[in-house]
């Protein structure tokens, strides 16, 4: 799922990678595909305009607009159709592209380039301030700001060598998910602080502030986090949230099911998968699980820690995966991906 948006009727729209657009009219309980006229099912972003129209940014087909139950391309003069996001300002629209920078148009008019000052043209998301003409563009390398409705851009913050995933304004300053961390500027944008108290995940891919001032951060590898004190501290809010990738799965000789996950470590179940306990070895990307002839379990991981530090280990468990002990004296700089027993 690459994007979610809700219109004024309460209909929820989800844009999927390779499966197009889906709509729910009952709060997400049931979904139906809504792909008529959508020439590309690889949706990268989905958004609702101020006029309550649904827009989709696609990987190869550019921008589409939904009318009733039919999509129509809306790409006049859009010279790069690998679009990643759509954003709306007063009387105009913006789209960010993969390698072509930013394009702007009057509402439903013709697109024209709007990348003056951008030094990176791989745009992942655009933030439009609700209270001013300020814009923020998140790119593969760097965060950019515009104060003249995208006529010009300048680099903002110390992120020229980091991928910037998300940005938004808060009362305290600009909050940014970049590289492998979360950062907050002072009101002037000159001083930046790392805001990771309680945030024990890797890259922050999404940021949101609700009407009550609460902040939400969507992590790359550990679910959702919430802050009620302006990003000074974070806590996980994943109860009932399931979106994990299982890479390895075994059943032990004692009947336990042990799952190795991408980014979340190991989970264990003793009743056919219900319930699961874990995460065990949290925040680790598991690439190997095996049981030895004498009943011990062995696991291997390779994880990139914050700051880009490689962290691979071989692990052993003598209690069917409830507890694990590393078999090495320090991190292994390569992936542990298999075991063999004589």
């Amino acid at each position: 799922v690459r994007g979610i948006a809700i219109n004024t009727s309460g209909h929820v729209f989800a844009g999927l990678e390779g499966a197009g657009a889906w709509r729910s009219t009952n709060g997400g309980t049931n979904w139906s595909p809504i792909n008529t006229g959508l020439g590309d099912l690889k949706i990268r972003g989905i958004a609702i305009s101020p006029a309550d129209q649904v827009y989709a940014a696609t990987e190869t087909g550019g921008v589409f607009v939904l009318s009733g139950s039919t999509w129509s391309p809306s790409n006049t003069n859009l010279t790069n159709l690998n679009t990643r996001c759509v954003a709306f300002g007063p009387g105009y629209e913006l789209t960010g592209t993969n390698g072509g920078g930013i394009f702007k148009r009057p509402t439903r008019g013709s697109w024209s380039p709007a990348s003056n000052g951008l030094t990176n043209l791989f745009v992942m998301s655009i933030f439009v301030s609700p209270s001013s003409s300020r814009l923020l563009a998140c790119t593969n390398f760097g965060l950019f700001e515009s104060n003249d409705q995208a006529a010009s851009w300048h680099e903002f913050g110390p992120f020229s060598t980091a991928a910037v995933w998300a940005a938004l304004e808060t009362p305290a300053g600009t909050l940014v998910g970049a590289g492998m961390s979360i950062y907050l500027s002072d009101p002037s944008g000159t001083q930046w602080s790392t805001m990771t108290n309680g945030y024990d995940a890797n890259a922050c891919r999404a940021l949101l502030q609700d009407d009550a001032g609460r902040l939400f951060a969507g992590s790359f590898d550990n679910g959702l986090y919430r802050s009620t004190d302006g990003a000074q501290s974070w806590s996980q809010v994943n109860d009932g949230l399931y979106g994990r990738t299982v890479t390895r799965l075994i059943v032990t000789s004692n009947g336990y099911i042990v799952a190795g996950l991408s980014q979340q470590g190991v989970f264990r179940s003793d009743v056919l998968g219900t319930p699961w306990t874990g995460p065990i070895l949290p925040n680790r990307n598991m690439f190997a699980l095996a049981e030895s002839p004498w009943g011990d379990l062995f696991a291997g991981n390779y994880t990139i820690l914050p700051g880009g530090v490689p962290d691979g280990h071989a692990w052993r468990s003598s209690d069917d995966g409830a507890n694990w002990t590393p078999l090495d004296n320090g991190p292994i700089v390569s992936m542990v991906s298999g075991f063999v027993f004589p």
Side-chain angles (χ1 to χ4, degrees):
V1 178
R2 300 299 295 258
I4 296 177
I6 304 173
N7 67 8
T8 56
S9 299
H11 294 182
V12 187
F13 296 85
L16 275 66
E17 173 71 36
W22 293 70
R23 176 168 58 188
S24 172
T25 60
N26 57 4
T29 301
N30 303 103
W31 294 89
S32 300
I34 182 169
N35 290 328
T36 301
L38 191 63
D40 182 2
L41 299 183
K42 295 180 180 179
I43 293 181
R44 296 293 189 175
I46 200 160
I48 307 294
S49 76
D52 208 33
Q53 289 184 296
V54 186
Y55 283 62
T58 68
E59 185 176 276
T60 62
V63 176
F64 287 79
V65 181
L66 184 65
S67 178
S69 297
T70 303
W71 294 92
S72 299
S74 190
N75 295 324
T76 303
N77 293 338
L78 185 61
T79 57
N80 188 311
L81 299 182
N82 190 341
T83 53
R84 293 303 176 100
C85 58
V86 180
F88 307 95
Y92 65 89
E93 301 166 358
L94 299 167
T95 185
T97 70
N98 190 36
I102 295 172
F103 290 79
K104 177 183 176 181
R105 68 178 178 183
T107 301
R108 299 299 297 273
S110 297
W111 296 100
S112 59
S115 300
N116 182 31
L118 285 184
T119 58
N120 188 286
L121 301 181
F122 293 83
V123 180
M124 293 185 280
S125 64
I126 300 172
F127 171 81
V128 179
S129 171
S131 59
S132 69
S133 60
R134 185 188 189 210
L135 305 172
L136 295 171
C138 302
T139 76
N140 269 10
F141 291 99
L143 176 66
F144 295 83
E145 180 186 50
S146 173
N147 295 300
D148 53 14
Q149 298 184 335
S152 63
W153 298 86
H154 57 269
E155 199 166 355
F156 184 73
F159 306 112
S160 59
T161 61
V164 180
W165 309 104
L168 57 78
E169 288 181 335
T170 74
T174 303
L175 193 67
V176 176
M180 304 294 282
S181 192
I182 300 175
Y183 302 87
L184 179 67
S185 77
D186 63 2
S188 68
T190 56
Q191 300 294 322
W192 293 83
S193 302
T194 304
M195 310 302 291
T196 54
N197 180 25
Y199 186 86
D200 54 0
N202 287 323
C204 170
R205 292 295 184 93
L207 289 167
L208 172 72
Q209 183 170 244
D210 68 8
D211 291 340
R214 294 171 295 192
L215 297 169
F216 296 86
S219 74
F220 173 70
D221 58 350
N222 215 22
L224 192 66
Y225 291 76
R226 179 177 61 197
S227 174
T228 58
D229 55 9
Q232 298 300 313
S233 63
W234 299 90
S235 58
Q236 273 190 306
V237 284
N238 286 334
D239 187 19
L241 179 64
Y242 297 93
R244 300 181 169 98
T245 301
V246 178
T247 57
R248 296 292 185 269
L249 191 67
I250 64 170
V251 179
T252 73
S253 55
N254 291 324
Y256 288 89
I257 305 171
V258 181
L261 279 69
S262 173
Q263 307 296 338
Q264 286 91 22
V266 173
F267 284 73
R268 190 181 81 151
S269 172
D270 59 352
V271 193
L272 297 179
T274 307
W276 292 90
T277 58
I280 311 162
L281 306 178
N283 302 322
R284 288 185 166 88
N285 198 336
M286 309 308 298
F287 285 93
L289 274 177
E291 184 177 17
S292 70
W294 56 92
D296 283 350
L297 300 185
F298 291 81
N301 81 285
Y302 183 68
T303 304
I304 302 298
L305 299 176
V309 179
D311 178 68
H313 288 279
W315 305 82
R316 180 172 59 195
S317 172
S318 298
D319 54 9
D320 288 294
N323 296 280
W324 296 86
T325 302
L327 295 177
D328 46 87
N329 294 322
I332 301 170
V333 296
S334 61
M335 180 191 302
V336 180
S337 58
F339 297 91
V340 64
F341 306 100

